[in-house]
Amino acid sequence: MTQKYDALIIGAGHNGLVCAFYLARAGLKVRIVERRDVVGGAAVTEEFHPGFRNSVASYTVSLLQPKVISDMKLADHGYRVIERPISNFLPQEDGGYLKLGGGLERTQAEFARFSKHDAAVLPEYYDMLEGVADVLRDLALKSPPNVGDGLKTFIDAAVQGRGLMKLNLSQQRDVLELFTKSARSFLDSWFESEAVKAAFGFDAVVGNYASPDTPGSAYVLLHHVFGEVNGNKGAWGHSIGGMGAITQIMAKVCVALGVEISLEAPVSRVLVDGEKVAGVRLESGEEIVADRVISNVGPKLLYERMFDDADLKPEFKRRVKGFKAGSGTFRMNVALSELPKFTCLPEPGEHHQSGIIIAPTLDYMDRAFLDAKRDGWSQKPIVEMLIPSIIDDSLAPAGQHVASLFCQQFAPELPDNADGSKRDWDAEEGKAADVIIDTVEAYAPGFRASVLGRQILSPKGLERKFGLVGGDIMHGNMSLDQLWSARPILGHGAYRGPLKGLYMCGAGSHPGGGVTGAPGHNCAAEVLADRGILKRIFG
């Protein structure tokens, strides 16, 4: 047995670091145990080919809460994000292209090349999204009302529902449609052009193993406009030094407050004494005693692999079994000898600094999903490429580049062969990676020849490297039944687990996935509230 801690956090991902910061600032003795040899969880920067570094999993910035940035004084320690000049660039199958972003008037002019109607309604569409997003942004840093807490549940629900009640009838209809309709159905009601609908519809399938025709997929479209960069709402940017630069700064701030961080310290079991957690046992055999255990890993990993069977009630275990995880994500990082030359726009330009999206229509996205369900992946997958080395020379040798390939609609578990034999991602990830390279090659001839090295992370690889069950970058589906008070399970939506002293601070809690810091912030507030600390450190 070692010394006792006020709080023991499992996992040094960004939410665990944020939670540790607020707890340590309030005077608690905090220790973080991390399985890997580096802090950051999925927000890390690593060398993957000699001389080439990149953000390994998480790869872009927008959703990190401004309050967290300010409270942790990240900018004082070197946090710097450069905004994209335009948001996205979508090569088209007919040899054309569409650019999204760079200001309203510019985007309208771009849309007008495809549909004058779509250009005309764009301001109204943006206003609609922003009106809904503003209400939901306000909920991001608030703990959901926890069903089962009696009168407090109703009071919390009424307080948080005030923002929704301020919406007019038209806006309330928008909220209903966004949470229940498919992305296609929602976008069809606004736009004519298939290219324009694809430009927005792509967000609905990011980290979402679903078709744009799946009911509820419109919400994921909204989830990705919550953020901001340097005060500009809805913008996306690149963290200089990669995503790992952010979490390294966070760790530095935590250590300065007295937080202990133990690397290469995987947890074997959460220790339970009656109805209360007592600490953790590491795989090394070391037992760490703590009044509170706070999990920054996903609900599936925590409850299905870190508890003895008798420690959790059967009904709760059944609910966890039904918690859906598996985002259909495949990640690659590639070292490049030169910038890709797109047939539609071959010369270097602002499009190389944007999100380059190969998903020209909603039908293309739908086929990719259906193919993945049948075959494991599509021969024409959804690919987003970012080339951060254009603005960050710390990532690649001079004149060369790194690219992030974020690929969607790859089955979390491969379907069986026709003869019933099992397939395994470890045996097939290379073939899938080749298809991804070929997909980019079709729009940028010569891309394949420019690849000097590559890092491949299938859904199984993401789970093995980062503990993301099913390769789920969100720690669990962002579907209506797994949001707000029901994330991860109704009755445990306010960051408290089923045992006294057990808390959850990861993306499997409200408000969900992305590098936000919100679950870590909110969980710390609940820990301190339970401890009776009334300081206004979250004001």
Side-chain angles (χ1 to χ4, degrees), residues 517-533:
H521 169 282
N522 297 352
C523 178
E526 294 305 314
V527 170
L528 296 177
D530 288 348
R531 196 169 184 261
I533 294 179

Side-chain angles (χ1 to χ4, degrees), residues 308-355:
D308 286 336
D309 191 58
D311 289 334
L312 301 171
K313 294 180 179 179
E315 197 269 345
F316 181 81
K317 289 188 290 185
R318 182 176 66 80
R319 299 289 180 184
V320 171
K321 184 178 181 181
F323 182 79
K324 302 186 297 294
S327 60
T329 301
F330 194 108
R331 269 291 273 122
M332 291 181 66
N333 294 293
V334 292
L336 301 175
S337 62
E338 62 181 8
L339 288 175
K341 296 181 176 65
F342 293 92
T343 302
C344 61
L345 208 58
E347 297 304 315
E350 63 183 4
H351 59 295
H352 285 111
Q353 298 180 43
S354 72

Side-chain angles (χ1 to χ4, degrees), residues 21-92:
F21 162 77
Y22 285 109
L23 296 180
R25 194 175 74 166
L28 274 65
K29 185 174 181 59
V30 182
R31 181 173 174 182
I32 304 175
V33 290
E34 166 59 43
R35 179 178 62 89
R36 300 191 68 220
D37 61 357
V38 61
V39 301
V44 290
T45 305
E46 297 177 359
E47 184 176 75
F48 66 94
H49 185 73
F52 294 82
R53 304 165 59 246
N54 202 15
S55 303
V56 179
S58 302
Y59 61 100
T60 190
V61 180
S62 176
L63 301 173
L64 187 58
Q65 288 289 325
K67 185 176 186 299
V68 170
I69 296 170
S70 175
D71 288 349
M72 297 188 77
K73 295 182 170 57
L74 300 183
D76 293 350
H77 296 277
Y79 171 79
R80 182 181 171 215
V81 177
I82 296 179
E83 186 176 343
R84 300 178 191 174
I86 57 173
S87 301
N88 292 324
F89 164 68
L90 290 85
Q92 296 296 301

Side-chain angles (χ1 to χ4, degrees), residues 26-278:
L28 274 65
K29 185 174 181 59
V30 182
R31 181 173 174 182
I32 304 175
V33 290
E34 166 59 43
R35 179 178 62 89
R36 300 191 68 220
D37 61 357
V38 61
V39 301
V44 290
T45 305
E46 297 177 359
E47 184 176 75
F48 66 94
H49 185 73
F52 294 82
R53 304 165 59 246
N54 202 15
S55 303
V56 179
S58 302
Y59 61 100
T60 190
V61 180
S62 176
L63 301 173
L64 187 58
Q65 288 289 325
K67 185 176 186 299
V68 170
I69 296 170
S70 175
D71 288 349
M72 297 188 77
K73 295 182 170 57
L74 300 183
D76 293 350
H77 296 277
Y79 171 79
R80 182 181 171 215
V81 177
I82 296 179
E83 186 176 343
R84 300 178 191 174
I86 57 173
S87 301
N88 292 324
F89 164 68
L90 290 85
Q92 296 296 301
E93 293 175 304
D94 63 1
Y97 64 85
L98 183 149
K99 292 180 179 180
L100 179 67
L104 175 60
E105 290 184 1
R106 185 175 173 190
T107 304
Q108 282 184 286
E110 183 77 357
F111 281 14
R113 297 196 299 114
F114 296 84
S115 164
K116 294 190 182 303
H117 167 272
D118 292 358
V121 300
L122 183 62
E124 185 182 354
Y125 178 78
Y126 278 161
D127 286 345
M128 176 278 300
L129 273 187
E130 191 57 37
V132 176
D134 269 345
V135 173
L136 298 182
R137 279 193 196 102
D138 188 53
L139 296 178
L141 289 182
K142 291 182 172 67
S143 297
N146 194 54
V147 175
D149 285 353
L151 182 60
K152 184 176 183 298
T153 300
F154 293 100
I155 294 173
D156 289 346
V159 170
Q160 294 194 29
R162 284 185 301 185
L164 290 172
M165 295 308 295
K166 291 178 182 177
L167 297 176
N168 60 39
L169 180 59
S170 177
Q171 290 174 312
Q172 290 181 39
R173 288 170 176 160
D174 291 333
V175 171
L176 178 63
E177 291 185 1
L178 280 163
F179 275 90
T180 59
K181 281 190 173 184
S182 71
R184 187 193 299 269
S185 176
F186 186 79
L187 292 168
D188 278 347
S189 70
W190 282 91
F191 302 111
E192 296 175 340
S193 165
E194 293 304 314
V196 169
K197 284 185 276 190
F200 291 119
F202 169 74
D203 281 336
V205 299
V206 172
N208 186 24
Y209 188 48
S211 162
D213 293 323
T214 301
S217 57
Y219 165 74
V220 188
L221 181 157
L222 179 65
H223 179 76
H224 288 90
V225 302
F226 286 170
E228 62 182 76
V229 170
N230 303 327
N232 297 321
K233 289 183 178 180
W236 293 82
H238 169 71
S239 167
I240 296 299
M243 299 300 288
I246 300 174
T247 48
Q248 288 292 325
I249 292 170
M250 287 180 169
K252 179 181 177 182
V253 172
C254 286
V255 170
L257 286 173
V259 175
E260 297 179 34
I261 302 177
S262 301
L263 301 178
E264 297 180 286
V267 171
S268 170
R269 280 290 181 269
V270 176
L271 301 176
V272 177
D273 182 7
E275 297 293 318
K276 184 182 185 304
V277 295

